[in-house]
């Protein structure tokens, strides 16, 4: 064996080690960049969906005053909007009068003293809420019953 061979082996081992570390760094960078890109897309999607919900609110407000054909037309538009939202993973939070108030899904915008509904239940939904996947995109705004 020549004395120089050990030096070459050590150099090769060091280069191999540096190469493996560079590959691992590159892989970590790729994963981080992909995560960042996914997060940005998710944030933009949420912003766009929240803006679209403003149009849903307008249709729901108009529905409260609509009669006859106008009411039917607005219901059809609202259904279509919900279908579009559903395709993007956004679904209406189920909130009905008499349901128990849930602070994780509902935002109380008022209370009403009543015998008609049990304490801490929803009396009225003033604005629809939506989930996106497993997260609250926007809580439902509700009026909550208080016992006299």
């Amino acid at each position: 064996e020549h004395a120089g061979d050990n030096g070459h082996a050590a150099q090769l081992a060091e280069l191999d080690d540096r190469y493996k570390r560079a590959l691992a760094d590159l892989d970590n960078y790729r994963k981080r960049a992909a995560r960042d890109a996914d997060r940005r897309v998710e944030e933009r999607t949420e912003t766009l969906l929240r803006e679209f919900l403003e149009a849903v609110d307008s249709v729901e407000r108009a529905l409260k005053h609509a009669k006859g054909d106008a009411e039917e037309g607005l219901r059809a538009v609202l259904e279509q909007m919900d279908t579009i939202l559903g395709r993007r993973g956004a679904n209406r939070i189920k909130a009905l009068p008499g349901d128990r108030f849930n602070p994780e899904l509902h935002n109380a915008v008022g209370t009403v003293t009543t015998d008609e509904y049990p304490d801490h239940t929803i009396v009225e939904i003033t604005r629809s809420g939506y989930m996106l996947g497993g997260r609250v995109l926007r809580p439902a705004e509700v009026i909550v019953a208080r016992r006299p």
Side-chain angles (χ1 to χ4, degrees), residues 21-123:
R21 252 185 283 167
L23 277 184
D25 286 347
L26 180 61
D27 194 45
N28 288 336
Y29 168 77
R30 274 198 196 116
K31 287 177 185 161
R32 192 171 53 247
R35 270 196 312 270
D36 289 350
D38 287 348
R39 197 189 70 251
R40 280 195 301 275
V41 166
E42 222 170 79
E43 286 169 1
R44 284 194 193 114
T45 301
E46 282 185 25
T47 300
L48 191 60
L49 289 174
R50 278 198 196 92
E51 287 176 8
F52 189 73
L53 290 181
E54 292 171 25
V56 170
D57 295 342
S58 296
V59 173
E60 287 186 341
R61 272 194 302 274
L63 246 175
K64 285 186 173 135
H65 310 291
K67 302 271 180 278
D69 288 348
E71 185 180 1
E72 261 180 64
L74 285 170
R75 279 198 196 289
V77 170
L78 194 57
E79 233 174 82
Q80 186 181 19
M81 291 170 116
D82 272 343
T83 300
I84 291 166
L85 286 162
R87 283 200 301 256
R88 295 281 165 250
N91 295 292
R92 200 176 277 264
I93 290 172
K94 300 283 180 263
L96 297 167
D99 285 355
R100 190 115 186 96
F101 172 75
N102 177 347
E104 288 176 17
L105 302 176
H106 311 132
N107 181 21
V109 293
T111 59
V112 63
T113 305
T114 179
D115 281 326
E116 222 182 310
Y117 291 96
D119 207 27
H120 291 79
T121 60
I122 295 168
V123 174

